[in-house]
Amino acid sequence: MTILSHAETRPIALPPAVPTDYVFGASDTNDILGAEDVHAVVTLKVAMTRDMLAAAFDLAMRGSYDENIDELPVEEIRHRVELSLHMESPWDLMRDGASFSDLLYDRSVAELIRSEYRAIDRAYPHMAPKENT
């Protein structure tokens, strides 16, 4: 991933952006901004690999593993990925995503990681792989 100025960008084929209803700072009653005067809502689009999405979802799921990941609604999966993007930099998620699939070889967490990948494939099906991972 590189940072390019607007003049240096070149068109590449990207999947369509996934819409969201979540607005950090205003969507939940517990959000920091709560009753404060919101001056702007800024939209950020981040191109993410499947492994980055899975790493982001995994970070957001910490402490919530009493839930059945295979039963989470698509909207909730996307909400949790977006929450991770609010808390982590895309650079950190790129780094974490680079080795995330290695966890599939760790028997102690492999089934959990497979369920997280299945969740990502449901929530972001555009380029989901055809094999079972």
Side-chain angles (χ1 to χ4, degrees), residues 10-73:
R10 60 191 184 284
I12 57 173
L14 294 173
V18 178
T20 181
D21 292 330
Y22 182 72
V23 179
F24 178 76
S27 290
D28 299 320
T29 56
N30 297 342
D31 281 337
I32 321 165
L33 298 179
E36 290 185 36
D37 183 29
V38 176
H39 191 73
V41 175
V42 177
T43 301
L44 172 66
K45 293 182 182 180
V46 179
M48 298 178 71
T49 66
R50 181 176 181 247
D51 294 327
M52 288 173 69
L53 290 164
F57 183 62
D58 181 73
L59 285 170
M61 286 300 297
R62 291 194 181 164
S64 300
Y65 287 114
D66 55 334
E67 299 176 84
N68 183 338
I69 293 174
D70 288 319
E71 293 178 0
L72 285 177

Short mmCIF file of all heavy atoms in Angstrom, two decimals, residues 10-73:
data_model
loop_
_atom_site.label_atom_id
_atom_site.label_comp_id
_atom_site.label_asym_id
_atom_site.label_seq_id
_atom_site.Cartn_x
_atom_site.Cartn_y
_atom_site.Cartn_z
N ARG A 10 -3.51 6.32 -10.36
CA ARG A 10 -3.86 5.73 -11.64
C ARG A 10 -5.07 4.84 -11.42
O ARG A 10 -5.20 4.22 -10.37
CB ARG A 10 -2.69 4.94 -12.20
CG ARG A 10 -2.24 3.82 -11.30
CD ARG A 10 -0.91 3.24 -11.76
NE ARG A 10 -0.52 2.11 -10.98
CZ ARG A 10 -0.01 2.17 -9.75
NH1 ARG A 10 0.15 3.32 -9.16
NH2 ARG A 10 0.32 1.08 -9.10
N PRO A 11 -5.95 4.77 -12.38
CA PRO A 11 -7.16 3.97 -12.18
C PRO A 11 -6.82 2.48 -12.12
O PRO A 11 -6.05 1.98 -12.94
CB PRO A 11 -8.02 4.30 -13.40
CG PRO A 11 -7.09 4.89 -14.40
CD PRO A 11 -5.91 5.43 -13.66
N ILE A 12 -7.37 1.81 -11.15
CA ILE A 12 -7.23 0.36 -11.04
C ILE A 12 -8.62 -0.21 -10.77
O ILE A 12 -9.49 0.48 -10.26
CB ILE A 12 -6.24 -0.07 -9.94
CG1 ILE A 12 -6.66 0.50 -8.59
CG2 ILE A 12 -4.83 0.35 -10.27
CD1 ILE A 12 -5.84 -0.01 -7.43
N ALA A 13 -8.80 -1.45 -11.11
CA ALA A 13 -10.11 -2.09 -10.91
C ALA A 13 -10.27 -2.45 -9.44
O ALA A 13 -9.50 -3.22 -8.89
CB ALA A 13 -10.20 -3.33 -11.78
N LEU A 14 -11.25 -1.85 -8.80
CA LEU A 14 -11.55 -2.13 -7.40
C LEU A 14 -12.98 -2.62 -7.28
O LEU A 14 -13.84 -2.23 -8.07
CB LEU A 14 -11.39 -0.85 -6.55
CG LEU A 14 -10.00 -0.27 -6.43
CD1 LEU A 14 -10.04 1.08 -5.71
CD2 LEU A 14 -9.08 -1.23 -5.68
N PRO A 15 -13.25 -3.45 -6.27
CA PRO A 15 -14.65 -3.83 -6.05
C PRO A 15 -15.41 -2.61 -5.57
O PRO A 15 -14.81 -1.64 -5.10
CB PRO A 15 -14.56 -4.90 -4.95
CG PRO A 15 -13.23 -4.74 -4.33
CD PRO A 15 -12.33 -4.08 -5.34
N PRO A 16 -16.72 -2.63 -5.70
CA PRO A 16 -17.51 -1.47 -5.23
C PRO A 16 -17.36 -1.30 -3.73
O PRO A 16 -17.21 -2.27 -2.99
CB PRO A 16 -18.94 -1.83 -5.61
CG PRO A 16 -18.93 -3.31 -5.83
CD PRO A 16 -17.55 -3.70 -6.22
N ALA A 17 -17.41 -0.05 -3.27
CA ALA A 17 -17.34 0.23 -1.83
C ALA A 17 -18.58 -0.32 -1.14
O ALA A 17 -19.68 -0.29 -1.69
CB ALA A 17 -17.21 1.73 -1.60
N VAL A 18 -18.40 -0.83 0.05
CA VAL A 18 -19.50 -1.38 0.83
C VAL A 18 -20.13 -0.25 1.63
O VAL A 18 -19.43 0.45 2.36
CB VAL A 18 -18.99 -2.49 1.77
CG1 VAL A 18 -20.12 -3.03 2.63
CG2 VAL A 18 -18.36 -3.61 0.96
N PRO A 19 -21.43 -0.03 1.49
CA PRO A 19 -22.08 1.05 2.24
C PRO A 19 -22.12 0.75 3.73
O PRO A 19 -22.07 -0.41 4.14
CB PRO A 19 -23.49 1.11 1.65
CG PRO A 19 -23.71 -0.25 1.10
CD PRO A 19 -22.37 -0.78 0.68
N THR A 20 -22.21 1.78 4.53
CA THR A 20 -22.30 1.62 5.97
C THR A 20 -23.31 2.59 6.56
O THR A 20 -23.53 3.66 6.01
CB THR A 20 -20.92 1.85 6.63
OG1 THR A 20 -21.05 1.66 8.04
CG2 THR A 20 -20.38 3.23 6.36
N ASP A 21 -23.88 2.20 7.67
CA ASP A 21 -24.76 3.08 8.43
C ASP A 21 -24.08 3.54 9.70
O ASP A 21 -24.59 4.36 10.44
CB ASP A 21 -26.07 2.37 8.80
CG ASP A 21 -26.92 2.10 7.59
OD1 ASP A 21 -26.85 2.90 6.62
OD2 ASP A 21 -27.65 1.10 7.58
N TYR A 22 -22.92 2.96 9.98
CA TYR A 22 -22.21 3.25 11.22
C TYR A 22 -21.45 4.57 11.10
O TYR A 22 -20.74 4.79 10.14
CB TYR A 22 -21.23 2.11 11.54
CG TYR A 22 -20.49 2.31 12.83
CD1 TYR A 22 -21.13 2.17 14.06
CD2 TYR A 22 -19.15 2.64 12.83
CE1 TYR A 22 -20.45 2.35 15.24
CE2 TYR A 22 -18.46 2.82 14.00
CZ TYR A 22 -19.11 2.67 15.22
OH TYR A 22 -18.43 2.84 16.39
N VAL A 23 -21.62 5.44 12.07
CA VAL A 23 -20.88 6.69 12.12
C VAL A 23 -20.20 6.75 13.48
O VAL A 23 -20.86 6.91 14.51
CB VAL A 23 -21.79 7.93 11.93
CG1 VAL A 23 -20.97 9.22 12.01
CG2 VAL A 23 -22.53 7.85 10.61
N PHE A 24 -18.89 6.55 13.51
CA PHE A 24 -18.14 6.58 14.76
C PHE A 24 -18.34 7.92 15.44
O PHE A 24 -18.23 8.96 14.83
CB PHE A 24 -16.65 6.35 14.47
CG PHE A 24 -15.79 6.41 15.70
CD1 PHE A 24 -15.76 5.34 16.58
CD2 PHE A 24 -15.03 7.53 15.98
CE1 PHE A 24 -14.98 5.38 17.72
CE2 PHE A 24 -14.25 7.59 17.10
CZ PHE A 24 -14.22 6.52 17.98
N GLY A 25 -18.66 7.87 16.72
CA GLY A 25 -18.88 9.10 17.46
C GLY A 25 -20.32 9.54 17.52
O GLY A 25 -20.66 10.45 18.26
N ALA A 26 -21.19 8.91 16.75
CA ALA A 26 -22.58 9.35 16.74
C ALA A 26 -23.59 8.20 16.64
O ALA A 26 -24.77 8.41 16.87
CB ALA A 26 -22.82 10.32 15.60
N SER A 27 -23.15 7.00 16.31
CA SER A 27 -24.09 5.89 16.09
C SER A 27 -24.55 5.23 17.37
O SER A 27 -25.62 4.64 17.42
CB SER A 27 -23.45 4.83 15.20
OG SER A 27 -23.33 5.33 13.89
N ASP A 28 -23.75 5.29 18.41
CA ASP A 28 -24.09 4.62 19.67
C ASP A 28 -24.26 5.65 20.77
O ASP A 28 -23.60 6.70 20.77
CB ASP A 28 -22.98 3.65 20.07
CG ASP A 28 -22.76 2.56 19.03
OD1 ASP A 28 -23.76 2.08 18.48
OD2 ASP A 28 -21.60 2.20 18.79
N THR A 29 -25.11 5.35 21.72
CA THR A 29 -25.29 6.27 22.84
C THR A 29 -24.05 6.37 23.71
O THR A 29 -23.86 7.33 24.43
CB THR A 29 -26.49 5.83 23.71
OG1 THR A 29 -26.25 4.47 24.14
CG2 THR A 29 -27.79 5.92 22.94
N ASN A 30 -23.16 5.38 23.62
CA ASN A 30 -21.92 5.39 24.41
C ASN A 30 -20.79 6.14 23.72
O ASN A 30 -19.72 6.29 24.32
CB ASN A 30 -21.45 3.96 24.68
CG ASN A 30 -22.45 3.18 25.50
OD1 ASN A 30 -23.31 3.74 26.14
ND2 ASN A 30 -22.32 1.87 25.47
N ASP A 31 -20.98 6.57 22.49
CA ASP A 31 -19.90 7.22 21.75
C ASP A 31 -19.48 8.53 22.42
O ASP A 31 -20.27 9.21 23.06
CB ASP A 31 -20.29 7.49 20.30
CG ASP A 31 -20.18 6.23 19.45
OD1 ASP A 31 -19.42 5.33 19.82
OD2 ASP A 31 -20.86 6.18 18.41
N ILE A 32 -18.22 8.88 22.22
CA ILE A 32 -17.61 10.03 22.87
C ILE A 32 -18.33 11.33 22.55
O ILE A 32 -18.53 12.16 23.42
CB ILE A 32 -16.14 10.18 22.42
CG1 ILE A 32 -15.46 8.82 22.30
CG2 ILE A 32 -15.37 11.08 23.35
CD1 ILE A 32 -14.16 8.85 21.55
N LEU A 33 -18.72 11.51 21.31
CA LEU A 33 -19.29 12.79 20.91
C LEU A 33 -20.69 13.00 21.49
O LEU A 33 -21.08 14.13 21.77
CB LEU A 33 -19.33 12.91 19.39
CG LEU A 33 -17.98 12.88 18.70
CD1 LEU A 33 -18.16 12.98 17.20
CD2 LEU A 33 -17.08 13.99 19.19
N GLY A 34 -21.43 11.91 21.65
CA GLY A 34 -22.74 11.99 22.26
C GLY A 34 -23.52 13.23 21.89
O GLY A 34 -24.01 13.37 20.79
N ALA A 35 -23.64 14.15 22.83
CA ALA A 35 -24.47 15.34 22.63
C ALA A 35 -23.69 16.54 22.10
O ALA A 35 -24.26 17.60 21.90
CB ALA A 35 -25.12 15.72 23.96
N GLU A 36 -22.38 16.36 21.87
CA GLU A 36 -21.59 17.49 21.37
C GLU A 36 -22.01 17.85 19.95
O GLU A 36 -22.58 17.05 19.22
CB GLU A 36 -20.10 17.16 21.39
CG GLU A 36 -19.54 17.06 22.79
CD GLU A 36 -18.03 16.86 22.77
OE1 GLU A 36 -17.37 17.42 21.89
OE2 GLU A 36 -17.55 16.14 23.64
N ASP A 37 -21.70 19.06 19.55
CA ASP A 37 -22.04 19.54 18.21
C ASP A 37 -21.11 18.89 17.18
O ASP A 37 -19.91 19.16 17.15
CB ASP A 37 -21.88 21.07 18.17
CG ASP A 37 -22.28 21.65 16.84
OD1 ASP A 37 -23.14 21.06 16.16
OD2 ASP A 37 -21.71 22.70 16.47
N VAL A 38 -21.66 18.04 16.33
CA VAL A 38 -20.86 17.39 15.28
C VAL A 38 -20.69 18.38 14.15
O VAL A 38 -21.66 18.88 13.59
CB VAL A 38 -21.54 16.10 14.80
CG1 VAL A 38 -20.76 15.49 13.64
CG2 VAL A 38 -21.69 15.11 15.94
N HIS A 39 -19.46 18.67 13.80
CA HIS A 39 -19.15 19.66 12.78
C HIS A 39 -19.10 19.06 11.38
O HIS A 39 -19.41 19.72 10.40
CB HIS A 39 -17.81 20.32 13.11
CG HIS A 39 -17.52 21.54 12.29
ND1 HIS A 39 -18.17 22.74 12.47
CD2 HIS A 39 -16.65 21.73 11.27
CE1 HIS A 39 -17.71 23.63 11.61
NE2 HIS A 39 -16.79 23.03 10.86
N ALA A 40 -18.69 17.78 11.27
CA ALA A 40 -18.61 17.13 9.97
C ALA A 40 -18.59 15.62 10.15
O ALA A 40 -18.21 15.12 11.21
CB ALA A 40 -17.35 17.56 9.23
N VAL A 41 -19.00 14.91 9.13
CA VAL A 41 -18.84 13.46 9.07
C VAL A 41 -17.91 13.19 7.90
O VAL A 41 -18.21 13.56 6.76
CB VAL A 41 -20.19 12.74 8.87
CG1 VAL A 41 -19.97 11.24 8.68
CG2 VAL A 41 -21.12 13.02 10.04
N VAL A 42 -16.78 12.58 8.18
CA VAL A 42 -15.75 12.33 7.17
C VAL A 42 -15.83 10.86 6.75
O VAL A 42 -15.92 9.97 7.59
CB VAL A 42 -14.35 12.63 7.75
CG1 VAL A 42 -13.27 12.30 6.74
CG2 VAL A 42 -14.28 14.09 8.19
N THR A 43 -15.83 10.62 5.46
CA THR A 43 -15.88 9.27 4.92
C THR A 43 -14.48 8.86 4.49
O THR A 43 -13.77 9.62 3.83
CB THR A 43 -16.82 9.20 3.71
OG1 THR A 43 -18.12 9.62 4.12
CG2 THR A 43 -16.89 7.79 3.14
N LEU A 44 -14.10 7.66 4.88
CA LEU A 44 -12.79 7.12 4.52
C LEU A 44 -13.01 5.79 3.82
O LEU A 44 -13.69 4.91 4.34
CB LEU A 44 -11.94 6.90 5.79
CG LEU A 44 -10.63 6.17 5.60
CD1 LEU A 44 -9.67 7.01 4.77
CD2 LEU A 44 -10.03 5.82 6.96
N LYS A 45 -12.45 5.65 2.64
CA LYS A 45 -12.52 4.39 1.92
C LYS A 45 -11.15 3.74 2.01
O LYS A 45 -10.14 4.37 1.73
CB LYS A 45 -12.91 4.60 0.46
CG LYS A 45 -14.32 5.10 0.28
CD LYS A 45 -14.65 5.25 -1.19
CE LYS A 45 -16.06 5.79 -1.37
NZ LYS A 45 -16.39 5.93 -2.80
N VAL A 46 -11.12 2.48 2.42
CA VAL A 46 -9.87 1.75 2.58
C VAL A 46 -9.97 0.46 1.77
O VAL A 46 -10.88 -0.35 2.01
CB VAL A 46 -9.58 1.42 4.06
CG1 VAL A 46 -8.28 0.64 4.19
CG2 VAL A 46 -9.55 2.68 4.90
N ALA A 47 -9.09 0.27 0.81
CA ALA A 47 -9.04 -0.98 0.05
C ALA A 47 -8.34 -2.01 0.93
O ALA A 47 -7.23 -1.78 1.41
CB ALA A 47 -8.27 -0.78 -1.26
N MET A 48 -9.03 -3.11 1.19
CA MET A 48 -8.51 -4.11 2.12
C MET A 48 -8.50 -5.49 1.48
O MET A 48 -9.43 -5.86 0.76
CB MET A 48 -9.35 -4.14 3.40
CG MET A 48 -9.33 -2.82 4.16
SD MET A 48 -10.37 -2.84 5.63
CE MET A 48 -9.43 -3.94 6.71
N THR A 49 -7.47 -6.27 1.78
CA THR A 49 -7.43 -7.65 1.34
C THR A 49 -8.31 -8.49 2.26
O THR A 49 -8.74 -8.04 3.34
CB THR A 49 -5.99 -8.22 1.42
OG1 THR A 49 -5.59 -8.26 2.80
CG2 THR A 49 -5.02 -7.36 0.60
N ARG A 50 -8.59 -9.69 1.85
CA ARG A 50 -9.38 -10.61 2.67
C ARG A 50 -8.68 -10.83 4.02
O ARG A 50 -9.33 -10.87 5.06
CB ARG A 50 -9.54 -11.92 1.91
CG ARG A 50 -10.37 -12.97 2.63
CD ARG A 50 -10.54 -14.19 1.73
NE ARG A 50 -11.34 -15.22 2.36
CZ ARG A 50 -10.87 -16.40 2.73
NH1 ARG A 50 -9.59 -16.70 2.53
NH2 ARG A 50 -11.66 -17.29 3.28
N ASP A 51 -7.36 -10.96 4.00
CA ASP A 51 -6.62 -11.18 5.24
C ASP A 51 -6.66 -9.95 6.15
O ASP A 51 -6.75 -10.09 7.37
CB ASP A 51 -5.17 -11.56 4.94
CG ASP A 51 -5.05 -12.91 4.25
OD1 ASP A 51 -5.87 -13.80 4.52
OD2 ASP A 51 -4.12 -13.08 3.43
N MET A 52 -6.62 -8.76 5.58
CA MET A 52 -6.75 -7.55 6.39
C MET A 52 -8.13 -7.48 7.04
O MET A 52 -8.26 -7.11 8.21
CB MET A 52 -6.52 -6.30 5.53
CG MET A 52 -5.09 -6.06 5.12
SD MET A 52 -4.93 -4.68 3.94
CE MET A 52 -5.36 -3.29 5.00
N LEU A 53 -9.17 -7.81 6.26
CA LEU A 53 -10.53 -7.81 6.80
C LEU A 53 -10.65 -8.81 7.96
O LEU A 53 -11.23 -8.50 9.00
CB LEU A 53 -11.54 -8.16 5.71
CG LEU A 53 -11.75 -7.11 4.63
CD1 LEU A 53 -12.47 -7.72 3.42
CD2 LEU A 53 -12.54 -5.93 5.18
N ALA A 54 -10.07 -9.99 7.77
CA ALA A 54 -10.12 -11.02 8.82
C ALA A 54 -9.36 -10.58 10.06
O ALA A 54 -9.83 -10.78 11.19
CB ALA A 54 -9.58 -12.34 8.29
N ALA A 55 -8.21 -9.95 9.88
CA ALA A 55 -7.44 -9.45 11.02
C ALA A 55 -8.22 -8.37 11.76
O ALA A 55 -8.25 -8.34 13.00
CB ALA A 55 -6.09 -8.93 10.56
N ALA A 56 -8.87 -7.48 11.02
CA ALA A 56 -9.67 -6.42 11.64
C ALA A 56 -10.84 -7.01 12.41
O ALA A 56 -11.14 -6.61 13.53
CB ALA A 56 -10.16 -5.45 10.57
N PHE A 57 -11.51 -7.98 11.81
CA PHE A 57 -12.64 -8.64 12.48
C PHE A 57 -12.18 -9.35 13.74
O PHE A 57 -12.82 -9.27 14.79
CB PHE A 57 -13.31 -9.61 11.50
CG PHE A 57 -14.53 -10.29 12.05
CD1 PHE A 57 -15.63 -9.56 12.44
CD2 PHE A 57 -14.57 -11.66 12.17
CE1 PHE A 57 -16.77 -10.18 12.95
CE2 PHE A 57 -15.69 -12.29 12.68
CZ PHE A 57 -16.79 -11.56 13.06
N ASP A 58 -11.05 -10.04 13.66
CA ASP A 58 -10.50 -10.73 14.81
C ASP A 58 -10.23 -9.76 15.96
O ASP A 58 -10.56 -10.04 17.11
CB ASP A 58 -9.21 -11.45 14.40
CG ASP A 58 -8.58 -12.22 15.55
OD1 ASP A 58 -9.13 -13.26 15.93
OD2 ASP A 58 -7.55 -11.75 16.09
N LEU A 59 -9.65 -8.61 15.66
CA LEU A 59 -9.38 -7.61 16.69
C LEU A 59 -10.68 -7.15 17.36
O LEU A 59 -10.73 -6.97 18.58
CB LEU A 59 -8.66 -6.41 16.10
CG LEU A 59 -7.18 -6.61 15.78
CD1 LEU A 59 -6.66 -5.43 14.97
CD2 LEU A 59 -6.38 -6.78 17.06
N ALA A 60 -11.70 -6.95 16.57
CA ALA A 60 -12.98 -6.47 17.11
C ALA A 60 -13.71 -7.55 17.90
O ALA A 60 -14.55 -7.23 18.73
CB ALA A 60 -13.87 -5.96 15.98
N MET A 61 -13.40 -8.81 17.63
CA MET A 61 -14.08 -9.91 18.31
C MET A 61 -13.47 -10.25 19.65
O MET A 61 -14.07 -11.00 20.42
CB MET A 61 -14.07 -11.17 17.42
CG MET A 61 -15.01 -11.12 16.25
SD MET A 61 -16.73 -10.92 16.73
CE MET A 61 -17.01 -12.43 17.65
N ARG A 62 -12.31 -9.74 19.97
CA ARG A 62 -11.65 -10.09 21.23
C ARG A 62 -12.59 -9.85 22.40
O ARG A 62 -13.16 -8.78 22.54
CB ARG A 62 -10.37 -9.30 21.40
CG ARG A 62 -9.34 -9.76 20.40
CD ARG A 62 -7.99 -9.26 20.73
NE ARG A 62 -7.08 -9.76 19.69
CZ ARG A 62 -5.91 -9.28 19.50
NH1 ARG A 62 -5.46 -8.31 20.24
NH2 ARG A 62 -5.13 -9.78 18.56
N GLY A 63 -12.73 -10.88 23.21
CA GLY A 63 -13.61 -10.78 24.36
C GLY A 63 -15.06 -11.10 24.05
O GLY A 63 -15.90 -11.08 24.94
N SER A 64 -15.38 -11.39 22.79
CA SER A 64 -16.77 -11.67 22.40
C SER A 64 -16.93 -13.08 21.83
O SER A 64 -17.82 -13.32 21.05
CB SER A 64 -17.21 -10.66 21.33
OG SER A 64 -17.14 -9.36 21.81
N TYR A 65 -16.06 -14.00 22.24
CA TYR A 65 -16.09 -15.32 21.62
C TYR A 65 -17.15 -16.24 22.19
O TYR A 65 -17.21 -17.40 21.82
CB TYR A 65 -14.70 -15.96 21.66
CG TYR A 65 -13.79 -15.30 20.67
CD1 TYR A 65 -12.69 -14.58 21.07
CD2 TYR A 65 -14.06 -15.37 19.31
CE1 TYR A 65 -11.87 -13.96 20.15
CE2 TYR A 65 -13.26 -14.75 18.38
CZ TYR A 65 -12.15 -14.05 18.81
OH TYR A 65 -11.35 -13.44 17.89
N ASP A 66 -18.03 -15.72 23.04
CA ASP A 66 -19.17 -16.52 23.46
C ASP A 66 -20.26 -16.47 22.39
O ASP A 66 -21.22 -17.21 22.44
CB ASP A 66 -19.70 -16.06 24.81
CG ASP A 66 -20.05 -14.58 24.83
OD1 ASP A 66 -19.48 -13.81 24.03
OD2 ASP A 66 -20.91 -14.19 25.65
N GLU A 67 -20.07 -15.59 21.40
CA GLU A 67 -21.03 -15.48 20.29
C GLU A 67 -20.67 -16.49 19.21
O GLU A 67 -19.51 -16.80 19.00
CB GLU A 67 -20.97 -14.08 19.68
CG GLU A 67 -21.34 -12.98 20.64
CD GLU A 67 -21.17 -11.62 20.01
OE1 GLU A 67 -22.10 -11.19 19.32
OE2 GLU A 67 -20.11 -11.02 20.20
N ASN A 68 -21.69 -16.98 18.51
CA ASN A 68 -21.45 -17.88 17.39
C ASN A 68 -21.18 -17.02 16.16
O ASN A 68 -22.09 -16.38 15.62
CB ASN A 68 -22.66 -18.79 17.17
CG ASN A 68 -22.43 -19.80 16.07
OD1 ASN A 68 -21.59 -19.61 15.20
ND2 ASN A 68 -23.18 -20.88 16.12
N ILE A 69 -19.95 -17.00 15.71
CA ILE A 69 -19.54 -16.14 14.59
C ILE A 69 -20.33 -16.49 13.33
O ILE A 69 -20.69 -15.60 12.56
CB ILE A 69 -18.02 -16.26 14.35
CG1 ILE A 69 -17.27 -15.67 15.55
CG2 ILE A 69 -17.62 -15.57 13.06
CD1 ILE A 69 -15.78 -15.85 15.51
N ASP A 70 -20.63 -17.76 13.13
CA ASP A 70 -21.37 -18.17 11.93
C ASP A 70 -22.82 -17.68 11.93
O ASP A 70 -23.49 -17.75 10.91
CB ASP A 70 -21.33 -19.69 11.77
CG ASP A 70 -19.95 -20.17 11.35
OD1 ASP A 70 -19.31 -19.51 10.50
OD2 ASP A 70 -19.48 -21.19 11.90
N GLU A 71 -23.30 -17.19 13.07
CA GLU A 71 -24.67 -16.67 13.15
C GLU A 71 -24.73 -15.15 13.19
O GLU A 71 -25.83 -14.59 13.20
CB GLU A 71 -25.38 -17.25 14.38
CG GLU A 71 -25.61 -18.75 14.27
CD GLU A 71 -26.27 -19.33 15.50
OE1 GLU A 71 -26.56 -18.59 16.46
OE2 GLU A 71 -26.50 -20.56 15.51
N LEU A 72 -23.59 -14.49 13.19
CA LEU A 72 -23.60 -13.02 13.21
C LEU A 72 -24.16 -12.48 11.89
O LEU A 72 -23.79 -12.95 10.81
CB LEU A 72 -22.20 -12.46 13.40
CG LEU A 72 -21.59 -12.55 14.79
CD1 LEU A 72 -20.16 -12.02 14.77
CD2 LEU A 72 -22.42 -11.78 15.80
N PRO A 73 -25.04 -11.49 11.95
CA PRO A 73 -25.55 -10.88 10.72
C PRO A 73 -24.44 -10.12 9.99
O PRO A 73 -23.49 -9.63 10.61
CB PRO A 73 -26.62 -9.91 11.21
CG PRO A 73 -26.80 -10.14 12.66
CD PRO A 73 -25.65 -10.94 13.15
#
